[in-house]
Amino acid sequence: MFCFQGLMFCPEACSLLLHNFCIYHISPPGHELGAAAICPDDPVLSADDLADQIAEVLNYFGLSAVMCMGVTAGAYILTLFAMKHRHRVHGLILISPICTAPCWTEWLYNKVMSNLLYFYGMCGVVKELLLKRYFSKEVRGCSQVPESDLVQACRRSLDERQSSNVWRFLEAMNGRPDISEGLRKLKCRSLIFVGDRSPFHSEAHHMTIKLDRRYSALVEVQSCGSMVTEEQPDAMLIPMEYFLMGYGMYRPSHFSVSPRSPLSPSCIAPELLSPESMGLKLKPIKTRISLQV
């Protein structure tokens, strides 16, 4: 849930998302706040199992089809779910997604973290390794620059997690299959965000190439790590607003636009909305926008 706090609680995103959608947040098993440790005798779920559990959640709440948003591993699980249940996904908003099986470097990296989690719990080394995956160097700080409040809050959040449950999720993702070849069959529209300093930057590019270009778009956010939702949530607002307008889900009008909306004329001068001024490398979103009112 920490991955979305920066996005969901900024005023502009509130007018775009919270006022227009009913939001359901899905955590991996045992990752919710206050969760108990999962019984050691329970089998470790695979990535396929986690994707199938999303269908169970939707069935429980009576949801026939949804718009999905996920970050890194969550983006992978949601993409896998969309591939297995195409009729239940209207669209995908993915932040620093992954779609291939772990390379040898990542596999070894994950195994080191798994062993540390198994024997020592959520120790300082594991937290440092995870933070390097999440945030850019500027946000993490260094010996001369103190780490940001955002990173400190993430450290506290990691301390609250059950290390054995985190180990299970890491094991599932380290055994994930390559889903690249199935991406072309996805017909739902996809909007991908990735920070240019994310370790998953090349993965996001690879995923964009594999997706049908008629239905997908990539937004690169400069000077940002994997968690674009936390480091630079404002950079996501305008691409998301145009993306959602293609579904007819959100249509700004004189009466409905929030004064804090990124498309509000009184909020930002037109010359400031260029991708370069926002620190974005924005590729066109190829989606059909309905002009009916």
Side-chain angles (χ1 to χ4, degrees):
M1 189 166 59
F2 179 84
C3 297
F4 301 99
Q5 289 180 353
L7 178 66
M8 294 299 179
F9 292 106
C10 74
E12 293 84 358
C14 188
S15 65
L16 176 62
L17 297 175
L18 299 182
H19 291 178
N20 293 279
F21 298 94
C22 180
I23 296 175
Y24 294 79
H25 174 74
I26 303 176
S27 294
H31 280 60
E32 66 274 14
L33 189 63
I38 297 173
C39 178
D41 295 331
D42 290 349
V44 176
L45 299 178
S46 66
D48 269 310
D49 294 330
L50 294 171
D52 290 338
Q53 285 192 344
I54 295 176
E56 296 178 17
V57 173
L58 300 190
N59 293 339
Y60 178 83
F61 288 105
L63 304 173
S64 58
V66 293
M67 179 77 70
C68 297
M69 178 187 291
V71 180
T72 58
Y76 175 91
I77 297 297
L78 291 172
T79 304
L80 182 57
F81 169 74
M83 292 170 61
K84 299 176 74 172
H85 304 273
R86 296 175 198 168
H87 64 288
R88 306 199 71 171
V89 179
H90 286 307
L92 293 167
I93 301 176
L94 309 173
I95 297 91
S96 302
I98 52 180
C99 63
T100 62
C103 64
W104 280 109
T105 304
E106 184 193 346
W107 183 88
L108 182 60
Y109 194 100
N110 289 339
K111 276 300 179 184
V112 169
M113 285 198 292
S114 289
N115 288 335
L116 289 171
L117 280 167
Y118 189 85
F119 291 106
Y120 302 104
M122 187 59 72
C123 60
V125 176
V126 173
K127 284 187 279 190
E128 289 301 325
L129 293 174
L130 289 173
L131 290 171
K132 285 183 179 179
R133 283 189 173 180
Y134 297 158
F135 302 110
S136 63
K137 186 176 180 180
E138 289 78 6
V139 175
R140 297 198 312 271
C142 59
S143 56
Q144 289 79 26
V145 181
E147 63 183 19
S148 66
D149 294 340
L150 177 62
V151 174
Q152 292 178 15
C154 187
R155 284 184 186 279
R156 292 192 294 270
S157 179
L158 290 172
D159 284 331
E160 294 168 355
R161 304 280 83 79
Q162 291 283 351
S163 57
S164 59
N165 298 352
V166 177
W167 173 82
R168 286 171 169 269
F169 186 60
L170 189 59
E171 285 289 294
M173 295 311 301
N174 211 27
R176 69 183 187 269
D178 189 331
I179 59 174
S180 301
E181 296 308 314
L183 294 174
R184 183 72 63 176
K185 298 177 183 178
L186 278 178
K187 298 305 178 185
C188 65
R189 296 183 180 96
S190 303
L191 177 61
I192 297 175
F193 293 91
V194 65
D196 64 353
R197 299 182 184 177
S198 167
F200 306 114
H201 183 264
S202 60
E203 281 263 354
H205 273 272
H206 174 75
M207 187 171 187
T208 305
I209 293 170
K210 291 295 183 179
L211 285 165
D212 190 328
R213 295 189 179 185
R214 295 174 297 171
Y215 306 110
S216 62
L218 172 68
V219 179
E220 294 181 69
V221 183
Q222 296 178 1
S223 303
C224 187
S226 298
M227 289 240 252
V228 182
T229 48
E230 291 298 311
E231 284 195 49
Q232 298 192 36
D234 291 339
M236 299 178 62
L237 296 173
I238 292 176
M240 279 200 307
E241 189 150 13
Y242 279 114
F243 178 74
L244 296 175
M245 282 172 60
Y247 291 88
M249 288 185 172
Y250 183 79
R251 295 192 182 122
S253 68
H254 176 71
F255 298 101
S256 64
V257 169
S258 163
R260 299 298 300 276
S261 169
L263 292 186
S264 174
S266 62
C267 182
I268 299 179
E271 61 271 14
L272 297 181
L273 297 181
S274 66
E276 292 79 10
S277 65
M278 296 176 63
L280 299 178
K281 298 176 185 175
L282 179 58
K283 298 183 179 179
I285 298 175
K286 297 181 180 179
T287 184
R288 186 172 300 168
I289 299 178
S290 172
L291 298 179
Q292 297 178 356
V293 293

